């Protein structure tokens, strides 16, 4: 283990993100509060979008751990649930490759890893698929922390040179507006994909919902 990671793990011992009890990645009681997101139509260019958990409560904290702390057990635990859902949906049968919507290069350098890649590789392992980087992110600000209106515009991607298979499993940590997934699916289709199934660890209960605070901000 590298010294930095050892330091982080010493500072943040394995604890449930819901209640703080000693449990990793989540205690049984808090795991029971996790629920599936309501069914909603996928964004443009995406055949199906799957997510085991609604992006709220403990699920939100688990996703944050993937993004910021890289706690050891969270990624495989989420990946197992994501892979089970893919299998249950029947969508894994013809998939050629698992890929991911890459985070910004500055973020990857700051964190030392790309959380979407970590999840994609873990989901691929569970499904016995090849994980392959097929996308490049065009320069621009990261989605996290941007206003909802800007997030809906989304980042932009291009396919890397090489062959994009006809059927792609696109993996990301969370879907909120669906803009990132739609942009990634668009790039994959431009490069020849005919089917894009997206799986995220969590999805907002109502994608694209605008909060009263955001509406008030818009009116100003
Ligand atoms: Zn708990």
């Amino acid at each position: 283990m590298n010294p930095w990671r050892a330091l982080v793990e010493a500072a943040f011992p394995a604890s449930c993100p819901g209640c703080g009890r000693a449990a990793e990645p989540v205690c049984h009681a808090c795991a029971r509060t996790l629920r599936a997101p309501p069914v909603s139509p996928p964004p443009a260019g995406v055949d199906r979008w799957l997510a085991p958990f609604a992006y709220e409560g403990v699920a939100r904290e688990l996703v944050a751990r993937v993004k910021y702390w890289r706690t050891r057990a969270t990624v495989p635990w989420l990946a197992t649930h994501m892979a089970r859902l893919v299998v249950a949906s029947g969508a894994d049968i013809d998939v050629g490759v698992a890929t991911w919507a890459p985070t910004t290069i500055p973020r990857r350098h700051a964190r030392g890893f790309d959380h979407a890649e970590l999840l994609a590789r873990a989901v691929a392992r569970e499904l016995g698929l090849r994980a392959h980087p097929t996308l490049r992110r065009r320069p621009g600000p990261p989605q996290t922390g941007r206003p909802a209106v800007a997030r809906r515009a989304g980042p932009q991607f291009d396919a890397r040179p090489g062959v994009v298979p006809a059927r792609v499993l696109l993996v990301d940590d969370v879907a909120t507006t669906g803009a990132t997934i739609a942009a990634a699916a668009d790039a994959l289709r431009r490069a020849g994909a005919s089917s894009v199934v997206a799986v995220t660890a969590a999805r907002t209960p109502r994608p694209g919902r605008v909060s009263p605070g955001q509406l008030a901000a818009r009116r100003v």
Side-chain angles (χ1 to χ4, degrees), residues 62-208:
L62 285 167
V63 168
R65 287 192 165 187
V66 173
K67 206 172 252 179
Y68 298 111
W69 289 357
R70 198 183 176 180
T71 53
R72 193 179 298 162
T74 308
V75 167
W77 190 86
L78 289 173
T80 300
H81 285 272
M82 293 160 78
R84 271 188 210 152
L85 191 59
V86 172
V87 172
S89 76
D92 70 322
I93 295 164
D94 294 325
V95 167
V97 71
T99 195
W100 60 93
T103 191
T104 63
I105 289 170
R107 284 221 157 174
R108 197 182 67 218
H109 286 167
R111 291 180 189 144
F113 63 95
D114 184 333
H115 60 281
E117 177 179 357
L118 279 185
L119 270 176
R121 291 194 182 281
V123 170
R125 257 194 309 276
E126 291 279 332
L127 293 171
L129 289 174
R130 192 167 57 95
H132 191 65
T134 59
L135 295 169
R136 278 208 187 99
R137 189 178 185 123
R138 290 187 200 161
Q143 289 293 85
T144 310
R146 296 177 78 198
V149 175
R151 282 207 313 272
R152 265 192 285 282
Q156 290 191 302
F157 300 95
D158 293 302
R160 290 169 174 269
V163 178
V164 170
R167 293 173 180 273
V168 179
L169 181 67
L170 178 63
V171 180
D172 207 352
D173 60 338
V174 60
T176 54
T177 65
T180 299
I181 286 169
D186 177 59
L188 291 167
R189 285 184 185 273
R190 280 188 277 119
S194 58
S195 161
V196 178
V197 171
V199 63
T200 58
R203 191 167 77 214
T204 44
R206 276 184 277 166

Side-chain angles (χ1 to χ4, degrees), residues 16 18-21 27 30:
C16 171
C19 63
R21 275 188 289 230
C27 79
C30 291

